[in-house]
Amino acid sequence: MSPARDFHAVFGHPPQARAAAPGRVNLLGERTDYNDGFVLPIAIPQQTQVGMARNGQDSFRLHARDLDQTVSFTLQAPPAPHFATYVHGCLAEVAQSGFDVPPLDIHVASDVPMGVGLSSSAALEVATLRCLRALLALPLDDVRIAQLGQRAEIHHAGVRCGILDQMASSLAGTDRALLLDTRSLARREVPLPLHTAILVLDSGEPRTLAGSGYNERRAQCEEAARLLGVPALRDVPDLEAVQALPEPLRRRARHVLSENARVLQAVACTSARDFGALMNASHASLRDDYEVSTPGIDRLVAGLQAHPAVHGARLTGAGFGGACVALCREGTLTAVVRTVLAGYEASGGTGRVLVPPMAAGV
Ligand code: GLA
């Protein structure tokens, strides 16, 4: 059933506004956004769709089709289920910005894979805010939408994230990557190397430390910047400067500096092989210096990197489990998937294809 028909079936009346927003995969520039650095995401085909209508009641009603769950809440009394905190957070942030947000019936349907590093939460936030903008004719541009989504995540979901995910969901397309300076929010579209295709595989490793480990790494970066006397690690002039830091701050800072450099090199290079080599180097840095990989992800990435049709591969997203992204030669995805997933299974892992979406085939 379409989301609009399902809205009617759940609430007994049609939606007054509808909007959608995609998940994203980050090609390079991991853990750089909260250091005011550079990122290079691209939107994925999977989207979250939100429908809304005023309900004339005292409270909001939210239905998540894919979880088959309905919850009620008010702006003052947040809902308990995790998915609902993102929606409530967006509504609360818009209300806090001075706009009147009346009680609504809200319907969410999504095919963005959850909890694997493809920004299902940002897709939910951006789709919610877009729908609210359409319904209430709010004067919010796409950057403001991303910023409100980030605030919802920090203040209501408790993850001190950067702006990567929400900017990607709000502004990136599926054909070109988005080079974003997360300090100035200056951005431009960057074509992928010619004759390549993106593959995203799930490692099947659950992202157990996603909240606590994420915030801990961020705190370490802030401490490193403080010790070096700069506003953010983005401002450290060269790798020489981080030598004075105590461990593990030295390695954390080294990752951020080298990762920023890789993003800028990647957008300047035209060869798929060079781009892939930067992805491989990013994975090594995330594994050894930033320590956010897992044994399963390392095996899956190694399997991808060993395939002759793969230019480069790395973990993507916050790490501690979740997905890997690979840049492959166009027309080879079926062969790559078959070989790499078989090898991963032989080593005890259970992987699956996330992008391209299974419905589209590889
Ligand atoms: C999560 C956060 C982003 C970013 C990435 C890592 O997706 O939400 O802000 O920090 O991790 O690059």
Side-chain angles (χ1 to χ4, degrees), residues 9-169:
V10 172
F11 297 117
H13 55 94
Q16 293 168 332
R18 286 160 53 192
R24 65 97 188 94
V25 59
N26 196 21
L27 302 178
L28 269 176
E30 218 63 85
R31 302 294 197 133
T32 49
D33 61 349
Y34 52 74
N35 293 295
D36 280 2
F38 301 94
V39 293
L40 192 63
I42 188 165
I44 59 173
Q46 292 99 324
Q47 299 203 332
T48 297
Q49 302 184 55
V50 172
M52 292 180 180
R54 289 179 175 80
N55 65 17
Q57 313 273 315
D58 296 332
S59 57
F60 294 81
R61 294 188 299 194
L62 169 62
H63 179 77
R65 183 183 71 176
D66 310 286
L67 305 172
D68 193 20
Q69 228 182 323
T70 309
V71 290
S72 290
F73 59 88
T74 63
L75 289 181
Q76 296 72 31
H82 195 58
F83 80 93
T85 58
Y86 298 108
V87 175
H88 169 266
C90 290
L91 301 169
E93 288 297 329
V94 168
Q96 220 177 342
S97 305
F99 300 107
D100 187 33
V101 182
L104 304 167
D105 286 342
I106 306 170
H107 181 277
V108 174
S110 180
D111 62 354
V112 181
M114 278 189 278
V116 291
L118 297 182
S119 290
S120 57
S121 59
L124 177 55
E125 291 151 5
V126 171
T128 298
L129 289 160
R130 281 180 175 168
C131 196
L132 208 55
R133 171 173 69 185
L135 181 73
L136 305 176
L138 300 176
L140 303 171
D141 65 17
D142 292 341
V143 170
R144 186 88 184 101
I145 292 253
Q147 290 167 328
L148 285 165
Q150 182 197 21
R151 288 177 64 89
E153 185 120 3
I154 293 175
H155 297 145
H156 301 269
V159 178
R160 296 186 60 220
C161 64
I163 193 85
L164 157 65
D165 305 348
Q166 292 79 9
M167 282 293 282
S169 182

